[in-house]
Amino acid sequence: MQFNHYGGEAARLAADLVNLSAPPRPEDLEPLLAARSVVNRRFSTAQAETIWTWSRRLAECFGPQDLGERCEKVNALLADASSSPRISLHDGHPHLHYSAPGADAAAHVRAVTAAGLAYVICSSDAERLGRCARHTCGTAFVDTSRNGRRTYCSVRCANNDAVARHRERRPVDTRPSAARKARKP
């Protein structure tokens, strides 16, 4: 599935923020934002704390849930981001910016991530805002697969889960190690 820069990348940024395991320091946010092409990456400590609080709200939008419930959550995020989308020509081509030029960096991230989630829901499928099916993981992800059936955050989690299921089905040999070795041809 192809996402436009201002929708898909913004939704992926939302997943990245959701997957933070602790409140970030401003320097922790810089590489994460750079990877998603966010230009204004200078944050104060207070703004980083705002992003942490925002990321906990974004987290509620990922994983299996009723479509109406998910839309209500994203609508609340959109309302709280309180941005005014604008058409920009800064690179010679018209495209949408979800916050005003010079907006506070944290306000920009809130506006972009809320709009990115809305973009995925409206232009693709709300179920693409997933959570890893491996019970020990739960990582948030945006499913960009062609068929939209991804259930794991990574191939590694899918493989580890498959191995665990296989081991659960296989009978366990409880004989001592020496007895097992002696029986092998």
Side-chain angles (χ1 to χ4, degrees):
M1 169 174 196
Q2 296 263 337
F3 282 133
N4 74 25
H5 174 76
Y6 292 102
E9 283 302 304
R12 288 179 182 149
L13 174 59
D16 293 342
L17 294 173
V18 167
N19 293 327
L20 291 171
S21 59
R25 297 171 304 179
E27 58 270 19
D28 299 332
L29 290 172
E30 200 282 327
L32 189 138
L33 298 170
R36 300 295 177 207
S37 302
V38 174
V39 175
N40 186 359
R41 300 185 294 266
R42 300 183 88 155
F43 283 78
S44 67
T45 301
Q47 289 171 319
E49 290 170 6
T50 299
I51 294 301
W52 171 252
T53 302
W54 183 254
S55 73
R56 301 308 87 193
R57 290 187 59 201
L58 292 169
E60 298 172 3
C61 301
F62 286 83
Q65 57 191 276
D66 175 71
L67 177 61
E69 182 182 322
R70 190 185 320 255
C71 289
E72 284 179 27
K73 291 173 186 174
V74 173
N75 280 334
L77 291 171
L78 288 165
D80 291 347
S82 65
S83 68
S84 299
R86 290 169 169 66
I87 298 173
S88 172
L89 292 169
H90 68 81
D91 63 357
H93 301 285
H95 57 269
L96 213 51
H97 277 252
Y98 295 113
S99 62
D104 170 80
H108 175 71
V109 168
R110 287 193 317 269
V112 166
T113 53
L117 296 180
Y119 171 81
V120 171
I121 291 169
C122 294
S123 69
S124 180
D125 181 0
E127 296 302 315
R128 288 184 180 264
L129 300 174
R131 289 272 185 181
C132 185
R134 186 173 177 213
H135 75 280
T136 58
C137 183
T139 297
F141 64 88
V142 179
D143 180 358
T144 58
S145 68
R146 183 174 293 197
N147 67 4
R149 303 280 185 246
R150 185 171 152 197
T151 56
Y152 294 96
C153 67
S154 65
V155 172
R156 183 179 190 167
C157 270
N159 289 342
N160 287 343
D161 207 35
V163 168
R165 286 191 314 273
H166 173 73
R167 288 182 178 157
E168 286 174 5
R169 290 189 302 263
R170 199 174 77 194
V172 177
D173 189 352
T174 59
R175 292 176 296 161
S177 177
R180 283 194 301 269
K181 287 180 183 175
R183 189 158 190 236
K184 289 184 180 178

